[in-house]
Amino acid sequence: MPIERTLTIIKPDAVAARHIGDIIKIFEANQFTIVAARLVHLTKEEAEGFYAVHRGKGFFESLTRFMSSGSALVMVLEGENAIARLREVMGATNPAHAAPGTLRKIYAESIERNAVHGSDAPDTAAYEIGYFFPGIELV
Ligand code: ATP
Ligand code: MG
């Protein structure tokens, strides 16, 4: 399995609920190494740029308002097969469909306020890591 880097965000709902520590504990228990981290409060424009692929969808306005509503913890995680494995640890977008034990099953409030973000493929991981950590090595 290749060593990869992926981008995760502990979203404003989970930060406000004081779940940063719980979620990092699960990342580390799953053999992810934190190689970069920033606590941010995104502007609406930064949230729109990050989720630009979703511009035009019905949930875009509400999603970007939510993502800019409070502090979020952005991290680069490294590990074997990190991109796909993080998505498994996160669980389905909608917590109602997320498998037991996944982060979204445990911590998400709704399909929008769903606690964590994770890059979904190597090209999006590269874009998203560069969005928050310009200059960092991608692998
Ligand atoms: P993320 O990109 O945040 O890791 P994801 O890849 O599981 O999530 P996407 O389809 O990329 O899901 O959607 C991005 C985010 O937009 C979701 O995590 C969620 O916060 C929000 N979202 C997606 N679909 C809906 C929806 N139908 N209604 C409300 N919010 C939604
Ligand atoms: Mg996504």
Side-chain angles (χ1 to χ4, degrees), residues 11 50-51 53-54 57 59 63 66 87 90-93 104 111-114 116-120 128:
K11 295 185 181 185
F50 181 73
Y51 277 123
V53 66
H54 295 303
K57 293 185 185 162
F59 59 81
L63 169 65
F66 159 57
R87 300 283 297 186
M90 285 165 45
T93 309
R104 283 168 167 170
I111 189 170
E112 178 178 278
R113 299 171 64 84
N114 62 0
V116 283
H117 162 83
S119 307
D120 61 9
E128 292 175 359

Side-chain angles (χ1 to χ4, degrees), residues 13-139:
D13 58 325
V15 173
R18 296 193 174 83
H19 289 315
I20 288 177
D22 300 318
I23 291 171
I24 287 180
K25 197 171 179 64
I26 291 171
F27 286 155
E28 294 192 324
N30 281 279
Q31 310 305 315
F32 292 103
T33 300
I34 299 169
V35 296
R38 282 179 63 197
L39 188 72
V40 299
H41 187 148
L42 297 179
T43 64
K44 182 78 160 45
E45 291 68 31
E46 287 168 333
E48 289 173 0
F50 181 73
Y51 277 123
V53 66
H54 295 303
R55 192 180 288 279
K57 293 185 185 162
F59 59 81
F60 183 73
E61 179 60 27
S62 178
L63 169 65
T64 52
R65 219 180 314 116
F66 159 57
M67 288 300 291
S68 57
S69 67
S71 296
L73 185 63
V74 186
M75 291 178 283
V76 178
L77 301 182
E78 184 176 272
E80 281 191 16
N81 201 22
I83 297 169
R85 228 158 40 73
L86 175 64
R87 300 283 297 186
E88 280 174 27
V89 169
M90 285 165 45
T93 309
N94 185 344
H97 302 148
T102 59
L103 289 171
R104 283 168 167 170
K105 189 65 172 185
I106 302 169
Y107 298 113
E109 299 171 14
S110 67
I111 189 170
E112 178 178 278
R113 299 171 64 84
N114 62 0
V116 283
H117 162 83
S119 307
D120 61 9
D123 58 334
T124 48
Y127 171 77
E128 292 175 359
I129 290 170
Y131 194 82
F132 286 108
F133 301 96
I136 197 176
E137 277 183 62
L138 297 178
V139 176

